[in-house]
Amino acid sequence: MRTIFKATRKVGVDGQLVRWGVVLVILLSVGQLYGQRVAARLDLGRKEARPTHIEYVPADGGLVTFGNMSRKTSRYLGVTKYDAAFNREWTREVLVQNGRTNVELVSVLGGDIFVFISEYIPQKSIIQTSFTQLDLEGNVVANREVIDELPNKKEARVDLKFTRSINKKKLLCYRNLDNSNKREKLIYYLFDAEKDEIVNGEIEIPYPDDKFQVRRLTVSNSGLILLLGKVYLDYKANTPGEFGYSLYRYKPGETGSEMVDIELGDLFITDLVVKVDPKENIFLAGFFSHRSTNEIAGTVFYRLNDKLKLEVTSTQRFPEGFFEKFLSRRQVDRGKELSNFFLDNIVLRSDGGVLLVAEKYYTTFNSYVNMYGYWVDQRIYHYDEIIVSSVAANGDLEWSAVVDKQQSSEFRETLSYLNVVSGADLFLIYGDQPRRSPHTLYYREVSLDGKVGPREILLDKPSRNDSFYPRFSLQISNYEALLVYYKEKEKVYSVVKMEF
């Protein structure tokens, strides 16, 4: 099946905002949450090893961590299981490092824990990928079960990535091989908790690897694989016809696919994200530009049903006044657009609309001579303003709001933000040190009508070097979240389960 469509303005059915989907509030203090309740807390002191992976266990409300079993050595790695109150139940050694192994990922699926390991086998000159499977009592279900063996070549030395379905019952692991100028190729393994089976296969895209970029991969509740990719037909050209997006849908175990080409005529698609809801409806949302693929001028929105039939397609330009929040009047008059903004997430609304959340990101470089007379090169990461746009079910751009912030560091772990939704409000949480204000965590609230609230301190006892890790924090249900937090003064690494 192959469908080609072009976006137009405001086509589709009317819809009103009912609510914004998943409910989650994070207001963290040192020991207590404002108006919330800490249901469980895991505190790891200075003598305990920090985990490299943290996973929630929906089956019993507990926690699984993976990492070094001791701070004294990195040779022994294991899984630790905690109950719903985060009391330790058991610890089991999973891997003894031999210098040739790498833990690719750790995941909980249903009532089992999976640890994926890749190992270089010098006798065969191959990279072998396997998994160890444990049940929630610590019993070994499978020990180093091999799922693939690839030649030890550049194209095979790529990370194993994963994504899960909305209901958390499908785990899709995949590896995007580096095939240079050959056809783009992925290998995947779909783990199904409901059927207790593993389906493996390959996805081959009819474009050379150097002209096709996999942007998003997701799996639906029914197990269908959705792949969104960007096509570069001519790197030297700067016309919309030389760039495009394609959406592929695969049924695991089969080689054929259904395909939708996405193009905007004389407009550039700058960025695009795909999500699928529990009813298998597909949402594509992002930004467009009149000038290039590195700038944004407005929103793009598509909604397709489970038959891949297009229901809504729309492009909506930001209001002229919105550009003046970032550009001078003269720049706006010359047609300049916004640059360095990247779409992080789209939030599905229950009425068929979406929220788009994007952040300004760029890097700079600095060189200096240290006290020993050596030149030092620095790479500085910058995470600045956040744009939140609300697009209705019929494709109309209802509003766009700007949340001001400036973050920069050589280290990215505590930069950027965490976006959470509570009822009809969006909260953006981040670490910052505004002028004449303490270095701590702040949040900004964006209301249903796009109004941005004042910057508020998140912690009741802020101190200079406390850190919050937005990338490691996790929503676990409509009323619970896992928060990862480090308190520098006490040298305590905490994982907090919060109810509200």
Side-chain angles (χ1 to χ4, degrees):
M1 176 180 178
R2 183 181 177 89
T3 305
I4 299 178
F5 60 85
K6 296 184 179 182
T8 57
R9 296 176 63 88
K10 201 171 64 175
V11 178
V13 297
D14 292 332
Q16 299 297 319
L17 178 62
V18 179
R19 58 186 176 88
W20 282 0
V22 177
V23 178
L24 178 60
V25 180
I26 298 180
L27 297 179
L28 176 65
S29 68
V30 174
Q32 188 76 18
L33 299 169
Y34 292 112
Q36 312 300 324
R37 187 178 78 87
V38 175
R41 186 183 189 96
L42 171 63
D43 293 318
L44 301 175
R46 66 182 70 202
K47 295 183 179 181
E48 298 176 274
R50 297 186 194 178
T52 57
H53 298 77
I54 301 172
E55 287 285 315
Y56 176 67
V57 183
D60 62 6
L63 191 70
V64 164
T65 64
F66 179 87
N68 295 337
M69 300 183 69
S70 169
R71 293 202 67 171
K72 297 179 180 179
T73 177
S74 59
R75 180 171 171 78
Y76 304 98
L77 295 96
V79 170
T80 300
K81 172 69 172 63
Y82 299 86
D83 63 17
F86 289 1
N87 298 310
R88 183 177 302 190
E89 292 184 320
W90 52 263
T91 297
R92 178 174 290 277
E93 181 184 295
V94 171
L95 178 65
V96 179
Q97 285 282 15
N98 59 11
R100 301 190 303 271
T101 57
N102 180 51
V103 177
E104 299 272 6
L105 60 94
V106 178
S107 182
V108 174
L109 185 66
D112 291 306
I113 304 162
F114 291 84
V115 180
F116 293 86
I117 302 165
S118 63
E119 181 176 6
Y120 169 57
I121 310 296
Q123 297 86 349
K124 299 180 179 180
S125 190
I126 62 172
I127 298 175
Q128 184 183 86
T129 302
S130 62
F131 67 88
T132 293
Q133 181 181 355
L134 308 173
D135 64 22
L136 297 184
E137 283 71 46
N139 302 310
V140 177
V141 178
N143 185 27
R144 301 296 296 271
E145 184 78 21
V146 177
I147 55 175
D148 73 26
E149 292 182 343
L150 298 173
N152 182 35
K153 296 181 180 180
K154 177 183 177 181
E155 60 266 23
R157 293 195 292 267
V158 292
D159 293 337
L160 185 68
K161 300 179 180 179
F162 77 98
T163 182
R164 281 179 287 218
S165 59
I166 294 176
N167 63 8
K168 309 301 182 185
K169 295 181 180 180
K170 304 288 191 300
L171 172 67
L172 179 66
C173 303
Y174 63 95
R175 199 186 300 275
N176 186 4
L177 302 183
D178 183 3
N179 287 327
S180 186
N181 59 353
K182 298 179 182 179
R183 283 192 170 191
E184 178 74 82
K185 186 177 181 181
L186 294 88
I187 56 177
Y188 68 84
Y189 320 95
L190 180 63
F191 294 75
D192 191 331
E194 295 176 309
K195 297 180 181 179
D196 192 24
E197 66 178 12
I198 305 172
V199 178
N200 65 293
E202 296 183 354
I203 294 175
E204 189 172 272
I205 306 296
Y207 291 101
D209 186 280
D210 59 350
K211 291 188 177 181
F212 187 90
Q213 184 183 65
V214 177
R215 300 304 296 267
R216 307 277 174 167
L217 201 69
T218 188
V219 59
S220 70
N221 285 349
S222 68
L224 295 177
I225 300 171
L226 295 172
L227 187 156
L228 177 66
K230 186 175 183 179
V231 183
Y232 301 83
L233 299 179
D234 189 346
Y235 285 116
K236 297 180 181 180
N238 191 32
T239 60
E242 300 306 323
F243 303 88
Y245 282 81
S246 296
L247 177 68
Y248 297 85
R249 187 168 71 176
Y250 296 85
K251 186 175 181 180
E254 298 183 3
T255 56
S257 68
E258 300 169 289
M259 178 185 177
V260 175
D261 281 338
I262 303 166
E263 56 184 49
L264 286 178
D266 58 352
L267 300 176
F268 292 92
I269 298 178
T270 304
D271 208 348
L272 209 59
V273 168
V274 60
K275 279 195 173 181
V276 56
D277 70 9
K279 296 181 180 180
E280 305 287 326
N281 296 307
I282 300 169
F283 296 79
L284 293 159
F287 300 113
F288 76 87
S289 169
H290 299 279
R291 295 160 53 98
S292 73
T293 59
N294 298 318
E295 298 174 279
I296 64 173
T299 59
V300 180
F301 176 68
Y302 308 93
R303 188 173 71 245
L304 299 88
N305 63 21
D306 60 338
K307 306 298 183 184
L308 284 189
K309 180 181 179 181
L310 179 65
E311 295 182 334
V312 179
T313 176
S314 171
T315 59
Q316 299 272 288
R317 183 175 170 84
F318 295 128
E320 289 302 312
F322 181 76
F323 290 95
E324 295 184 21
K325 296 179 183 292
F326 303 93
L327 306 172
S328 68
R329 182 69 252 178
R330 185 177 179 182
Q331 289 175 317
V332 174
D333 291 340
R334 293 205 313 261
K336 186 173 176 59
E337 299 173 348
L338 308 184
S339 58
N340 297 322
F341 279 95
F342 296 88
L343 182 61
D344 293 324
N345 187 29
I346 62 173
V347 180
L348 303 185
R349 295 173 10 181
S350 61
D351 68 340
V354 297
L355 292 180
L356 290 81
V357 186
E359 184 177 29
K360 189 171 186 177
Y361 165 76
Y362 59 98
T363 59
T364 57
F365 297 88
N366 180 43
S367 297
Y368 66 93
V369 179
N370 65 15
M371 61 184 296
Y372 302 104
Y374 294 103
W375 278 98
V376 177
D377 294 323
Q378 289 179 305
R379 181 176 184 176
I380 309 298
Y381 299 95
H382 299 264
Y383 290 81
D384 293 341
E385 295 92 345
I386 302 169
I387 292 177
V388 181
S389 297
S390 178
V391 177
N394 65 352
D396 282 348
L397 176 58
E398 298 174 321
W399 50 260
S400 290
V402 178
V403 175
D404 296 317
K405 72 173 180 68
Q406 284 78 41
Q407 298 171 302
S408 62
S409 175
E410 290 183 82
F411 309 101
R412 305 171 67 172
E413 288 81 4
T414 59
L415 299 181
S416 196
Y417 66 96
L418 177 69
N419 68 273
V420 298
V421 180
S422 172
D425 294 326
L426 179 72
F427 291 85
L428 299 169
I429 301 169
Y430 54 93
D432 200 5
Q433 186 174 14
R435 187 179 180 184
R436 298 178 181 176
S437 299
H439 180 282
T440 186
L441 300 183
Y442 293 87
Y443 72 92
R444 301 287 294 274
E445 179 181 354
V446 183
S447 65
L448 176 67
D449 55 1
K451 294 181 179 179
V452 180
R455 183 180 62 240
E456 302 284 355
I457 293 179
L458 202 61
L459 303 181
D460 61 355
K461 295 181 180 179
S463 60
R464 180 174 180 81
N465 294 317
D466 294 345
S467 301
F468 174 61
Y469 297 92
R471 290 179 179 85
F472 304 144
S473 298
L474 176 70
Q475 174 197 343
I476 56 179
S477 73
N478 286 349
Y479 61 92
E480 294 176 311
L482 291 183
L483 312 177
V484 180
Y485 178 75
Y486 181 68
K487 194 157 185 63
E488 176 67 28
K489 185 176 181 180
E490 290 83 1
K491 306 294 183 186
V492 172
Y493 184 90
S494 297
V495 182
V496 178
K497 179 165 67 172
M498 180 265 292
E499 293 181 351
F500 55 93

